């Protein structure tokens, strides 16, 4: 193969010029090759500029036996000799001979040797063989896969090239020597294959040197006569100018490129470590978002195999064990002991002083030695937060919602901003927060306390964000724990059990928690406050830092020093320019807390205990939040995170948006009425007519006197009530709800059902909050009177008042269970009037409810408001469950206990269920939920499903 091998390089364009030498089968060309490819007949890569943000030109001489036109530009940075593994010795010798013949002996100083190999091959033997040659320089040696598609390999190669260029003098090859002895005085411009990576132009084979320079000038938008040119008359002068500009640009490019390359290498290594982490946890097949709630909401071997949760488990089971324990509300899920797979890991090698015959001198030398030779493993155990975040990345949106809800119930911080481990895209799991409701008591003055309860996505609270600049000796997360909950590690920190220095998924994650005061004198703050924590060095995590600074009310920054020559100063300067209140905590400073100017505080942490620092911070934060100047403070609402264009929000999923739109049609309809009248207007079948039917049905079984006449009369009354129920038909609300469930597959309706539950619960939030506060106070008074030895008439009065509050709470509460109750009454009314021969959509209601029950949706068994079990409805639903599942054996488990004794919470913890729980009020009626028994243990348990029944508390008013 013969071709021209000269090129003209404009020095304003090319930062590095690389010449490729060797045989063509040393590499594989194609779209995956980062260094060069064969697109459009060229042999260069259009990816290098995007890859390293530097102009690099690649001249491809691979396969050339001779150069017909012995000319090449001055300014070559390196000759890259590509030799295949296995033939590396012979190809190295022939490559040196070829290079010396055509470019002279001086060119050897600019040579970089690259041994190419197939994926998975090792090249230690090749290095050993090449070292035998006197001309070989090990630091100018590199190995690379033939595909040249690994970013880390290419980045390391370019770093080595940059190092070689900085070491050479002159830094660039001075020019081609004819016959290896004399330098040409002119640079010819033959046909070339050339590429400038700024604009990725292709230089055509018939393009002249002037045309090349002109096109380059146009790209740079600089007049052609100002571009670098070279002619025979001013060759020496221009060479001097070229060298000066080249050295200047080279220094800048070196610094910029080295930083870029090091970043690429670091990112590539980080991604390899993440891949290894997922492999160690056996989650590589679950990423991304492949684990669902159905995989965990069942009873399996891990639930029954051991009576204790403290047993060690294998590392590969950490992820599944974590989510199983978290679903069961075990706060120890983060701290799972790991069983060592190999006994060698725990057995250390005896030291030289372990033998009693050794001298005392050897014994002391062993302790004084700088390093100890032992067989301890280099791989540490998995960081607990890496387990949590790995499971999070592998979970679908519904499992994430369960996970976040359980973390909140365990009083742990929740992931607010999560970078994707492979794409670095920032995501806010807003959907995962939707089920969380926070309740707190606001204290004003000495005695006035107001109870508030809000879905956390809609709550408007101050947000105090903490940032760390650089590597510090004090733990930011541990300090935050002392502010929000000093008895519990809400934020995981370096001193928590199981913590390791190596963590791969936590840096860049921003977590959030809410401090909810209880209205007691020992509350740290008198109102609800959100605390945000950016894990990792905030100097290196700009995107998340900017988002949190925008949303925060108060910023708290921990740094080593506060000096202009410190590397953290640019970031600190940016934060100082913000108008928001700022508290600077300086680790290496021992100064007292001082307000530098309004809203800007500085405090040294050196020689100060964490308790003192925490108390000081609480005073300042409380003072800032109590300030009358409200212009300084910005309130935070979680829902507003979706407004940031730089954040991917999980709720933007098409199915989620479709479900939300359908649910909004229902809630928009409901907002036309007061929440206390919703059931009368939109759910008429379960109102007065249903209560009358239930009362008559009870009287039917308590007949006295003329039994036959009374029985006939009661039956007529019940039939009349059923007729009236049928005549009301389906309301607009029920038509929208049922039509959606019938038209869309059940798996796609999960979002719709969740959104309906979330939005309907939100309708009654305001009214329920004040009633709950009064109910809570009245309930406490009743309990106190019951426990008092002197039960006066006040007890009966207080119980009546409590009953009135209960009725108000009942009328002000509206949720998904009331819609399903209406379905039950529509079915029962039509079935009573038409029997089995009836036709219409109502005939399909039991089958629909059965499929929902099988999928894990709780279903009302006993109407707590009417005190009645809709037997025909329940029987029909269970019949359809049998039709769907076949003749399965079901074990029914129920729970009994006093009101507010935690029955629902216990069932949720035992089986990972989602029975509704709330403060001040227990379950109304009874609900049932099916739990699947896994195949592994069905043989031992002799049944296939567990039907869990949650009941209303005894002595409930």
């Amino acid at each position: 193969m013969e071709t021209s091998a000269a090129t003209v390089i404009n020095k304003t364009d090319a930062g590095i010029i690389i010449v490729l030498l060797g045989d063509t089968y040393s590499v594989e060309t194609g779209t995956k090759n980062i260094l060069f490819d064969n697109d459009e007949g060229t042999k260069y890569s259009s990816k290098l500029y995007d890859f390293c943000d530097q102009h690099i030109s690649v001249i491809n001489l691979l396969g050339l036996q001779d150069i017909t036109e012995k000319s090449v530009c001055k300014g070559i940075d390196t000759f890259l000799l590509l030799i295949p593994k296995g033939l590396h010795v012979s190809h190295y010798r022939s490559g040196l001979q070829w290079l010396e013949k055509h470019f002279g002996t001086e060119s050897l100083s600019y040579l970089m040797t690259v041994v190419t190999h197939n994926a998975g091959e090792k090249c230690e033997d090749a290095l050993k063989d090449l070292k035998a040659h006197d001309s070989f320089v090990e630091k100018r040696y590199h190995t690379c896969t033939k595909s040249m598609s690994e970013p880390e390999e290419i980045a390391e190669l370019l770093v080595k090239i940059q190092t070689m260029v900085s070491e050479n003098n002159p830094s660039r090859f001075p020019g081609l020597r004819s016959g290896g002895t004399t330098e040409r005085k002119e640079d010819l411009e033959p046909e070339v294959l050339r590429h400038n990576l700024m604009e990725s132009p292709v230089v055509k084979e018939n393009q002249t040197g002037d045309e090349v320079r002109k096109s380059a000038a146009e790209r740079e938008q600089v007049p052609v006569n100002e571009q670098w040119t070279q002619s025979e008359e001013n060759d020496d002068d221009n060479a001097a100018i070229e060298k000066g500009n080249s050295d200047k640009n080279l220094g800048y490019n070196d610094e910029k490129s080295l930083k870029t390359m090091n970043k690429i290498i670091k990112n590539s290594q980080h991604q390899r470590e993440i891949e290894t982490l997922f492999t160690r946890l056996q989650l590589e097949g679950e990423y991304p978002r492949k684990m669902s709630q159905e995989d965990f909401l069942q009873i399996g071997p891990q639930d029954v195999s051991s009576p204790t949760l403290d047993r060690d488990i294998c590392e590969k089971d950490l992820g599944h064990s974590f989510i199983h324990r978290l679903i069961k509300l075990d706060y120890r899920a983060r701290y799972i002991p790991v069983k060592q797979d190999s006994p060698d890991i725990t057995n250390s090698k005896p030291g030289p002083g372990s033998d009693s015959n050794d001298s005392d001198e050897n014994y002391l030398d062993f302790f004084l030695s700088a390093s100890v030779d032992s067989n301890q493993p280099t791989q540490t155990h998995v960081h607990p937060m890496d387990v949590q975040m790995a499971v999070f990345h592998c979970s679908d949106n519904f499992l994430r919602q369960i996970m976040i809800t359980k973390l909140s119930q365990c009083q742990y911080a929740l992931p607010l901003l999560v970078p994707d481990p492979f794409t670095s895209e920032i995501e806010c799991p807003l959907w995962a927060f939707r089920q969380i409701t926070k309740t707190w008591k606001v204290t004003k003055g000495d005695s006035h306390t107001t109870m508030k309860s809000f879905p956390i996505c809609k709550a408007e609270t101050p947000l105090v964000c903490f940032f760390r600049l650089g590597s510090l000796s004090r733990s930011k997360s541990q300090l935050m724990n002392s502010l929000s909950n000093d008895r519990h590690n809400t934020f995981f920190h370096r001193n928590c059990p199981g913590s390791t220095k190596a963590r791969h998924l936590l840096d860049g994650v921003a977590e959030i928690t809410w401090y909810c005061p209880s209205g007691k004198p020992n509350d740290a703050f008198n109102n609800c406050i959100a605390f945000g924590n950016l894990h990792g060095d905030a100097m290196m995590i700009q995107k998340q830092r900017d988002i949190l600074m925008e949303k925060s009310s108060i910023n708290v920054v921990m740094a080593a020093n506060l000096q202009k020559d410190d590397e953290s100063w640019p970031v600190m300067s940016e934060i100082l320019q913000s108008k928001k209140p700022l508290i600077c905590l300086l680790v290496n400073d021992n100064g007292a807390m001082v307000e530098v100017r309004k809203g800007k505080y500085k405090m040294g942490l050196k020689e100060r205990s964490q308790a003192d620092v925490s108390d000081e911070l609480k005073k300042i934060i409380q003072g800032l939040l109590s300030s009358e100047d409200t212009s300084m403070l910005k309130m935070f609402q979680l829902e507003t995170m979706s407004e940031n264009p730089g954040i991917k929000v999980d709720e933007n999923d098409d199915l989620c948006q479709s479900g939300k739109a359908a649910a909004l049609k229902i809630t928009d309809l409901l907002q036309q009425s007061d929440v206390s009248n919703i059931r009368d207007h939109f759910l008429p079948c379960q109102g007065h007519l249903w209560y009358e039917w239930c009362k008559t049905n009870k009287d039917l079984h308590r007949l006295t006197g003329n039994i036959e006449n009374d029985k006939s009369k009661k039956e007529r009354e019940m039939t009349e009530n059923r007729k009236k129920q049928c005549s009301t038909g389906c309301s607009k609300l029920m038509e929208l709800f049922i039509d959606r469930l019938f038209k869309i597959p059940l798996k796609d309706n999960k979002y719709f059902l969740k959104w309906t539950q979330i939005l309907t619960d939100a309708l009654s939030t305001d009214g329920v909050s004040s009633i709950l506060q009064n109910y809570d106070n009245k309930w406490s008074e009743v309990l106190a009177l019951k426990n008092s030895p002197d039960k006066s008439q006040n007890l009966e009065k207080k119980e009546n008042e409590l009953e009135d509050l209960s009725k108000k709470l009942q009328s002000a509460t509206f949720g998904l269970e009331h819609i399903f109750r209406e379905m039950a009454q529509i079915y029962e009314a039509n079935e009573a009037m038409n029997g089995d021969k009836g036709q219409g959509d109502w005939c399909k209601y039991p089958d629909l409810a059965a499929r929902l029950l099988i999928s894990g949706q709780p279903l009302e068994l006993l109407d707590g408001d009417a005190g009645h079990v809709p037997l025909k409805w329940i029987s029909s639903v269970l019949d359809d469950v049998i039709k769907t599942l076949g003749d399965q054996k079901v074990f029914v488990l129920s729970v009994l206990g006093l009101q507010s004794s935690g029955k629902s919470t216990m069932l949720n913890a035992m089986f990972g269920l989602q029975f509704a729980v709330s403060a001040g009020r227990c379950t109304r009626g009874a609900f049932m939920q099916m739990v699947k028994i896994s195949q592994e243990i069905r043989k031992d348990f002799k049944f296939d499903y567990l039907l869990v029944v949650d009941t209303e508390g005894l002595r409930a008013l």
Side-chain angles (χ1 to χ4, degrees), residues 289-334:
R289 300 171 183 263
K290 294 182 181 178
M291 294 195 305
S292 65
Q293 58 182 344
E294 289 78 10
D295 299 328
F296 298 95
L297 296 181
Q298 59 179 332
I299 299 176
Q302 69 284 340
D303 299 305
V304 297
S305 59
S306 175
T308 176
L309 290 175
D310 294 326
R311 65 186 181 93
D312 293 359
I313 67 167
C314 296
E315 185 178 77
K316 61 184 178 63
D317 299 324
L318 267 177
H320 287 81
S321 180
F322 167 79
I323 191 65
H324 272 293
R325 296 187 184 189
L326 182 64
I327 286 176
K328 293 172 175 55
L329 289 178
D330 179 14
Y331 75 95
R332 299 168 296 174
R334 277 184 176 174

Side-chain angles (χ1 to χ4, degrees), residues 16 54 77-78 109 112 139-140 155-169 171 250 253-255 257-258 261-262:
I16 293 179
Q54 186 178 12
D77 293 281
T78 184
S109 299
M112 176 73 69
K139 65 180 180 180
R140 297 186 178 184
E156 289 178 353
L157 174 61
L158 294 178
V159 169
K160 290 179 180 179
I161 291 174
Q162 289 278 17
T163 304
M164 182 179 71
V165 170
S166 63
E167 292 175 350
N168 282 340
N169 186 21
S171 60
L250 185 62
N253 288 336
D254 279 349
E255 182 181 357
S257 180
L258 283 173
M261 293 303 139
N262 288 329

